[in-house]
């Protein structure tokens, strides 16, 4: 137990207290979050959180709730009476959720998601973990569509239990009147860790203007200090020396009881991003080979030690202390942590640098990073299934392959496969559109308007995907439903309305006739002129430059005609 922290219990909920003058702050933590869901149920924890807070909607109380990857947190600040009112109200709602608000809260959550920005690292979890577990934090809450009253009630009853909670309060004593009765259950183990990266260190291509590093390391004092040293090195090289970046920083965030994530970010102007990528990689390489300054270690260590000088330290540590208890991460005493900090050496940070380099995932703007020893993360599936072939109407080199065990999409240079048993979600639209996402994060769309397929083919897909992975979607705006490819309808016949409405282009029928007539007429002229050039009675020798010019022009007129004919034959 940390110095100054009192452990007790309230209605079967483990509770920690530490006194701090002024308003009281309290938090109720549950060991359930986004990573405990599936993609088809994603959002259900957030929905329970919103329903539990509905009764406080018009209150002047300073409170909030948050759903993170592995926990949900209800917190509040105020006087003793306000703390009791808030915590009692949350627990009362969890015992009996206001399910009449279900559809309204879903709409609120969708509105919240639409207005929420995404940072440059938002998709790193998807690439590292896939469409499951910790990777779900990269996705929208797709499961809200299928969450009904029964599912939401069951989720609250089994996850929001007294055995799966920890309460913290910045007070030396418990406020009177607490009624935190919750269903009995069991502590929920942390979600299993998945991987979508066959090899590391790996890289992915990102948008212009930012470089991102994501690395998983064992939780330790050395790792947290290394993150600070990395951030300082990036700032010094990329901003102070090079002037390439405005933001260059690193962050250390616990992922679970054993591991943490180090995330480093550096921004740039598009014209400078190659220099930023090079500088970023150089900093990582220098740390990996042990070029770590003792002064950087000392500065980072001093900054951490200063935290022990703040007043009411025990109360300030309560949220992280309670989370450690919730996730069953061993909690160090202050003396143990200080001793570790003082004993840290450059060699300890060097070991962390090698760990970071070994499993790093690097996002580079637009380009590649294989030159630096990073391997490209998979951009397509490793297999194609054998099944019935359904050609893309506009180009029969692309097709859907529907097999008993899944669906593949193939086109030149690209292949994606989603096996039914590994399908994280299938979004099912009333018009027949289907969007499948596999656990590995690869996805494909099945649009009956775009492929040579019928209702029986679609029924085979619907029968193959497990019901628990299906999310029924609302009708789409007709303008958002993909239409047949240009000049084709879904059976493969010409669509005359589209043909006549399409402006003339080198591939349209009107322009094909124009270029064809011109090629014919010019060919006659070229033939006559060439014959005359070779007539010895008219010229002593042919003008080869003139002859070549005539037939090059003829070739230029014939080229769009031949191209259009080949395209039309391939589509037919």
């Amino acid at each position: 137990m940390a110095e100054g922290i009192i452990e007790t219990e309230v209605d079967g909920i483990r509770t920690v207290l530490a006194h701090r003058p002024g308003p009281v702050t309290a938090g109720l933590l549950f060991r359930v979050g986004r990573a405990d869901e599936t993609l088809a149920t994603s959002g259900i924890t957030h929905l329970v959180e919103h329903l539990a807070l509905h009764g406080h909607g018009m209150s002047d109380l300073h409170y909030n709730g948050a759903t993170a990857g592995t926990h949900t947190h209800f917190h509040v600040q105020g006087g003793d009476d306000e703390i009791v009112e808030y915590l009692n109200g949350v627990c009362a709602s969890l015992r009996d959720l206001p399910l009449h608000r279900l559809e309204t809260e879903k709409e609120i959550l969708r509105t919240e998601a639409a207005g929420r920005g995404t940072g440059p690292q938002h998709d790193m979890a998807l690439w590292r973990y896939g469409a499951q577990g910790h990777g779900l934090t990269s996705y929208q809450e797709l499961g809200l569509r299928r969450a009904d009253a029964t599912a939401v009630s069951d989720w609250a009853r089994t996850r929001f239990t007294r055995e799966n909670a920890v309460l913290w309060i910045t007070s030396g004593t418990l406020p009177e009147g607490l009624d935190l009765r919750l269903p009995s259950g069991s502590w929920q183990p942390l979600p299993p860790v998945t991987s979508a990266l066959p090899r590391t260190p790996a890289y992915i291509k990102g948008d212009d203007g930012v470089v991102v590093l994501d690395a998983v390391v064992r939780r330790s004092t050395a790792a947290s200090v290394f993150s600070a040293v990395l951030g300082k090195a990036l700032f010094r090289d990329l901003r102070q020396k090079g002037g390439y970046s405005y933001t260059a920083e690193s962050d250390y965030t616990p992922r679970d009881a054993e591991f943490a994530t180090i995330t480093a970010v550096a921004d740039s102007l598009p014209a400078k991003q190659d220099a930023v990528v090079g500088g970023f990689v150089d900093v990582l390489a220098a740390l990996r080979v042990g070029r770590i300054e003792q002064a950087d270690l000392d500065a980072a260590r001093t900054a951490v030690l200063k935290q022990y000088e703040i007043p009411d330290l025990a109360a300030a540590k309560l949220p992280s202390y309670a989370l450690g208890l919730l996730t069953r991460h061993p909690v160090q005493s202050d003396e143990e942590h200080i001793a570790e900090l003082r004993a840290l050496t450059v060699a300890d940070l060097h070991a962390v640098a090698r760990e970071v380099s070994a499993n790093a995932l690097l996002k580079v703007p637009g380009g590649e990073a294989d030159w630096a020893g990073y391997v490209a993360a998979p951009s397509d599936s490793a297999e194609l299934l054998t099944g019935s072939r359904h050609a893309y109407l506009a180009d029969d080199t692309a097709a859907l392959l529907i097999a008993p065990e899944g669906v593949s999409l193939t086109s030149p240079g690209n292949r994606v496969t989603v096996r039914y048993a590994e399908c994280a979600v299938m979004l099912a639209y009333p018009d027949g559109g289907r969007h499948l996402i596999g656990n590995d994060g690869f996805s494909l769309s099945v649009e009956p308007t775009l492929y040579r397929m019928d209702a029986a083919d679609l029924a085979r897909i619907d029968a193959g995907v497990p019901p628990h992975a299906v999310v029924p979607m609302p009708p789409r705006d007709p303008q958002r439903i993909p239409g047949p490819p240009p000049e084709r309808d879904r059976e493969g016949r010409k669509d005359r309305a589209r043909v006549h409405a399409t402006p003339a282009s080198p591939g349209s029928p009107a322009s094909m006739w124009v270029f064809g007539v011109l090629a014919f007429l010019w060919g006659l002229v070229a033939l006559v002129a060439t014959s005359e050039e070779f007539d010895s009675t008219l010229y002593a020798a042919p003008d080869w430059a003139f002859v070549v010019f005539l037939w090059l022009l003829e070739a230029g007129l014939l080229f769009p005609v031949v191209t259009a004919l080949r395209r039309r034959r391939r589509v037919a």
Side-chain angles (χ1 to χ4, degrees):
M1 184 187 303
E3 183 179 350
I5 294 179
I6 303 167
E7 290 198 24
T8 183
E9 188 177 287
V10 178
D11 291 324
I13 299 174
R14 193 171 185 177
T15 303
V16 288
L17 309 171
H19 174 72
R20 180 171 64 194
V24 177
T25 305
L28 182 58
L29 287 157
F30 292 92
R31 222 307 296 143
V32 61
R34 292 288 312 273
D36 296 281
E37 304 165 345
T38 67
L39 190 53
T41 64
S42 59
I44 193 169
T45 308
H46 198 182
L47 183 55
V48 170
E49 176 222 311
H50 266 235
L51 289 169
L53 290 177
H54 166 63
H56 299 278
M58 300 301 293
S59 171
D60 293 329
L61 192 61
H62 183 67
Y63 72 93
N64 209 340
T67 301
T70 59
H71 66 274
T72 301
H73 195 187
F74 299 94
H75 50 95
V76 60
Q77 184 178 64
D80 281 1
D81 291 345
E82 293 170 317
I83 298 296
V84 169
E85 177 188 359
Y86 174 79
L87 293 175
N88 288 0
V90 166
C91 290
S93 291
L94 290 173
R95 292 194 301 268
D96 185 16
L97 289 173
L99 295 174
H100 64 281
R101 292 277 305 176
L102 191 64
E103 296 305 318
T104 301
E105 294 300 334
K106 287 183 185 181
E107 285 300 313
I108 292 173
L109 287 175
R110 283 192 281 267
T111 303
E112 178 184 334
R116 186 188 303 127
T118 57
Q121 64 268 40
H122 79 280
D123 59 346
M124 301 299 279
L126 181 166
W127 282 91
R128 180 173 289 279
Y129 302 109
Q132 55 186 325
H134 295 281
L136 296 183
T137 56
S138 292
Y139 285 88
Q140 296 181 6
E141 295 171 332
L142 301 176
L144 290 175
R145 297 283 181 187
R146 62 172 286 167
D148 57 21
T150 300
V152 172
S153 295
D154 288 346
W155 193 258
R157 177 178 53 80
T158 55
R159 269 73 175 183
F160 291 83
T161 66
R162 55 179 179 264
E163 291 86 359
N164 203 39
V166 173
L167 171 68
W168 61 270
I169 306 177
T170 60
S171 173
T173 59
L174 289 171
E176 295 184 1
L178 285 173
D179 179 8
L180 308 186
R181 288 172 293 131
L182 288 171
S184 179
S186 59
W187 176 76
Q188 296 293 314
L190 287 155
V193 178
T194 58
S195 177
L197 293 175
R199 293 173 57 192
T200 56
Y203 76 91
I204 58 175
K205 295 181 181 181
D207 296 331
D208 285 347
V210 66
V211 182
V212 183
L213 169 79
D214 170 283
V216 177
V217 296
R218 284 163 294 187
R219 289 182 64 171
S220 67
T221 300
S224 63
V225 171
F226 172 83
S227 178
V229 170
L230 172 60
K232 184 172 184 177
L234 289 171
F235 185 85
R236 180 173 56 231
D237 283 29
L238 299 181
R239 177 166 173 171
Q240 293 182 319
K241 290 184 179 179
Y244 306 132
S245 297
Y246 175 76
T247 298
E249 59 191 15
S250 178
D251 177 68
Y252 172 91
T253 305
R255 186 191 70 184
D256 50 39
E258 298 183 46
F259 291 90
T261 302
I262 290 179
T263 305
V265 178
D267 60 6
S268 72
L269 293 172
K272 300 286 188 179
Q273 61 191 24
D274 288 344
V276 171
V277 173
F280 202 108
V281 169
D282 287 346
V283 168
L284 293 173
L287 298 176
R288 184 184 69 246
V289 299
R291 292 207 295 269
I292 300 172
E293 299 293 334
Q294 181 67 44
D296 289 346
L297 166 56
D298 293 340
R301 172 167 41 211
T302 299
V304 178
L305 286 171
K306 283 186 177 297
Q307 297 176 10
Y308 285 96
E309 300 175 7
I310 65 174
D312 309 310
L313 175 63
K317 291 173 57 178
L318 274 182
S320 61
Y321 185 88
L323 185 58
L325 294 177
L326 187 69
T327 58
R328 299 191 177 178
H329 172 68
V331 179
Q332 284 184 313
S333 67
D334 294 349
E335 292 77 12
E336 290 171 335
H337 190 217
I338 291 172
E340 276 197 6
L341 280 168
R342 296 194 185 282
L344 276 182
T345 66
V346 167
D348 296 323
L349 300 193
H350 183 202
V352 177
R354 292 196 302 269
E355 190 178 6
V356 167
S357 297
N359 75 92
L361 176 62
L362 187 68
K363 182 197 284 189
V364 294
E368 300 176 342
D370 47 0
W371 56 270
Y374 294 80
V375 62
S379 58
D380 57 5
S381 299
E383 63 171 350
L384 279 179
L385 300 176
T386 301
S388 59
R389 181 182 177 89
H390 305 270
Y392 182 51
L393 292 176
D395 183 356
D396 59 9
T397 62
L400 282 174
L401 307 176
I402 303 177
E405 64 271 34
V407 184
S408 291
L409 174 61
T410 176
S411 61
N414 185 41
R415 60 185 183 185
V416 175
T417 293
V418 178
R419 287 180 170 270
Y420 298 139
E422 296 295 321
C423 183
V425 73
M426 182 176 77
L427 307 182
Y429 294 93
D431 56 70
R434 302 288 185 264
H435 187 70
L436 289 76
I437 304 176
N439 286 333
D440 57 6
F442 288 112
S443 64
L444 59 84
S445 291
V446 178
E447 296 287 355
T449 55
L450 301 182
Y451 296 92
R452 292 191 178 97
M453 59 185 301
D454 55 26
D457 299 316
L458 190 62
R460 291 166 57 200
I461 297 174
D462 289 345
V465 176
H468 64 76
V470 179
V471 174
M473 300 297 287
R476 292 186 282 187
D477 185 320
Q479 297 298 320
R480 298 183 67 86
I481 300 173
E487 303 182 16
R488 309 287 296 185
D489 64 13
R490 62 181 301 174
E491 286 78 33
R493 295 188 298 268
K494 294 180 183 177
D495 183 344
R496 287 187 172 82
R498 289 183 180 275
V499 170
H500 294 304
T502 303
S505 66
S508 67
S511 64
M512 185 177 69
W513 279 104
V514 170
F515 278 95
V517 171
L518 289 175
F520 175 76
L521 294 176
W522 186 256
L524 292 177
V525 172
L527 185 61
V528 172
T530 302
S531 299
E532 289 181 348
E533 285 292 326
F534 283 90
D535 188 341
S536 60
T537 64
L538 295 177
Y539 302 101
D543 185 346
W544 288 104
F546 178 61
V547 171
V548 170
F549 168 76
L550 291 173
W551 291 104
L552 282 177
L553 187 55
E554 173 67 5
L557 292 170
L558 280 173
F559 179 77
V561 179
V562 173
T563 300
L565 286 172
R566 291 179 62 186
R567 182 183 298 118
R568 288 161 64 81
R569 185 178 298 112
R570 184 170 63 247
V571 171

